[in-house]
Amino acid sequence: MSEIDYSKRSFNYYPTNAIVFSKCVGNRWSAPEVTNDFNFSLHCFAGVFHYAPSCFEGMKAYRGVDGRVRLFRPDENALRMESSARYLDMPAPSVEMFIDMCVKCVQENWDCIPPYESGASLYLRPVLFGINPQLGIKSAADVMFAVMCSAVGTYSGAKSLVPGAAVLSRNYDRAATYGSGGYKLGANYAQSLHAYNLAHKMGYRELLFLDSATHSHIEEFGSSNFFAIKHGCYITPNSPSVLPSITNKSLRKVAEEFGLKVERRTIFIDELETFEEVNSCGTAVVITPISRIDDKVTLESGTITREYRYGDVCGPVSEKLYKRIVGIQNGTEEDNYGWCMFVNDPK
Ligand SMILES: *Cc1c(COP(=O)(O)O)cnc(C)c1O
């Protein structure tokens, strides 16, 4: 068998062995099934095709330096999916069922888990969506829960910790003030893709969304949270329309461990000028430094670009945080919080 070159992989779908799924029909969950058939057969009136009753999760299985495989805080993902499903008023798997099916998916795809040295990992994608035929405007009564995976490299395809540029989203919002931004819904992505595509076409790696009510403060990137370092502080926005990132939550703990002060608060755009280091964070991106944030401001005389610059290398504090969190995930650093859950080799 030829060796797979994981360094060439980006955050993408690569074939694996199997998926695990269960259906909840009439409030009864079926026994989870494993299949190598990657096509679902669904009714054409299933809610997911029409009104987007759909939420998902993202987590990684890491092969550690000791050869053992770990999941990072899967209980947090299970609880967040429960919260997303509650928002959509549809059934959700229990925390136990969620974790069991994720473990099963890892075990069924054991030979797809990249080696420690590659820096790559097995990304797990649990999805939950409405399947009962419907036309009337109602929440989905019956749902399917499926866990699939893909062995991925880093999100940007570039090496990790290589900074990229971002632009403020002045013409499009990700989430409304009293909307669904705090839940991990497919719909949040559907409606931000167009803005994302425009930013990418302009050559930006990231799009930084503002609060939809006033466009005066920072919310988050399209698929990852925002945090900045200034005067020994770890600063991240506090807003109900920002997705509660588990990576961000964990980094706040690690930051405290390092003696940083942690501030969750409103960040006005003007404050961007004062930050020493700026990053995006999330399961897929881990920590990705931001080299520059452009703000294209439209004036009567035309559009001007204000630039906030953070340098072309990862900042020292962010790098320390990165090493600690990745170290916990792959077993080179002590996991004194009990964040990692070991998955047993199925053989
Ligand atoms: C999933 C997601 C994140 C990152 O959350 P993690 O739990 O750290 O992976 C951030 N923002 C958005 C919009 C997301 O969907």
Side-chain angles (χ1 to χ4, degrees):
M1 216 176 81
S2 65
E3 286 284 307
I4 296 166
D5 183 359
Y6 289 101
S7 69
K8 295 216 165 56
R9 289 204 171 182
S10 58
F11 184 75
N12 237 316
Y13 160 70
Y14 300 96
T16 52
N17 306 334
I19 61 174
V20 187
F21 72 93
S22 171
K23 287 178 186 176
C24 181
V25 176
N27 275 316
R28 285 175 68 99
W29 285 97
S30 63
E33 287 174 61
V34 175
T35 176
N36 59 10
D37 180 358
F38 285 65
N39 297 296
F40 295 139
S41 176
L42 296 176
H43 197 286
C44 64
F45 276 97
V48 65
F49 296 132
H50 304 259
Y51 308 131
S54 169
C55 58
F56 68 96
E57 276 303 323
M59 59 211 291
K60 282 175 175 170
Y62 307 86
R63 194 182 290 279
V65 66
D66 51 5
R68 299 182 71 188
V69 172
R70 292 161 174 82
L71 290 176
F72 186 70
R73 310 187 78 174
D75 49 323
E76 291 282 338
N77 293 92
L79 290 169
R80 192 168 62 190
M81 176 162 272
E82 236 173 31
S83 147
S84 298
R86 205 176 308 123
Y87 180 84
L88 294 169
D89 279 327
M90 62 186 204
S94 67
V95 170
E96 192 191 1
M97 178 180 171
F98 179 98
I99 294 175
D100 284 352
M101 284 175 63
C102 288
V103 166
K104 188 88 191 138
C105 183
V106 173
Q107 290 176 328
E108 291 292 331
N109 295 288
W110 197 258
D111 57 304
C112 301
I113 308 170
Y116 163 73
E117 295 75 23
S118 68
S121 50
L122 189 71
Y123 183 85
L124 297 188
R125 168 52 58 83
V127 291
L128 178 73
F129 51 87
I131 55 170
N132 57 293
Q134 62 175 111
L135 188 54
I137 312 299
K138 279 194 196 121
S139 284
D142 302 332
V143 296
M144 182 156 181
F145 175 57
V147 184
M148 53 206 76
C149 64
S150 175
V152 300
T154 52
Y155 194 74
S156 54
K159 278 183 65 135
S160 34
L161 290 182
V162 175
V167 63
L168 289 188
S169 186
R170 283 285 181 185
N171 301 318
Y172 298 92
D173 296 328
R174 188 189 85 88
T177 311
Y178 298 105
S180 60
Y183 307 95
K184 211 167 174 73
L185 310 189
N188 290 338
Y189 280 80
Q191 73 84 40
S192 60
L193 284 174
H194 179 64
Y196 233 81
N197 294 340
L198 292 176
H200 286 156
K201 262 185 221 145
M202 290 195 295
Y204 293 101
R205 194 198 286 175
E206 284 293 347
L207 182 60
L208 182 52
F209 288 99
L210 303 170
D211 72 294
S212 70
T214 67
H215 273 202
S216 67
H217 55 261
I218 306 301
E219 290 250 292
E220 66 172 317
F221 299 100
S223 58
S224 52
N225 275 186
F226 175 101
F227 79 88
I229 303 294
K230 171 168 96 171
H231 308 325
C233 280
Y234 177 104
I235 309 167
T236 193
N238 187 24
S239 158
S241 47
V242 166
L243 196 283
S245 154
I246 297 159
T247 313
N248 191 349
K249 185 177 180 179
S250 309
L251 285 170
R252 291 198 296 273
K253 271 266 170 246
V254 169
E256 277 174 359
E257 210 181 272
F258 287 156
L260 295 169
K261 196 166 162 252
V262 171
E263 294 181 0
R264 283 178 89 188
R265 58 167 172 81
T266 303
I267 300 171
F268 286 97
I269 295 168
D270 286 346
E271 196 179 356
L272 287 177
E273 203 165 35
T274 68
F275 291 143
E276 293 149 15
E277 305 175 23
V278 166
N279 300 274
S280 70
C281 69
T283 299
V285 299
V286 195
I287 288 179
T288 299
I290 302 297
S291 55
R292 190 179 95 221
I293 299 173
D294 286 359
D295 184 11
K296 295 183 181 300
V297 189
T298 309
L299 305 172
E300 269 170 44
S301 52
T303 301
I304 58 152
T305 303
R306 274 192 81 177
E307 290 182 1
Y308 304 92
R309 295 185 169 271
Y310 307 104
D312 291 324
V313 290
C314 180
V317 178
S318 308
E319 187 167 350
K320 228 175 114 181
L321 291 169
Y322 175 89
K323 287 198 169 135
R324 177 84 175 108
I325 200 97
V326 169
I328 292 173
Q329 290 164 343
N330 64 27
T332 56
E333 292 258 338
E334 176 149 20
D335 173 19
N336 32 8
Y337 304 104
W339 282 341
C340 294
M341 182 192 151
F342 291 101
V343 180
N344 292 326
D345 188 329
K347 287 179 285 292

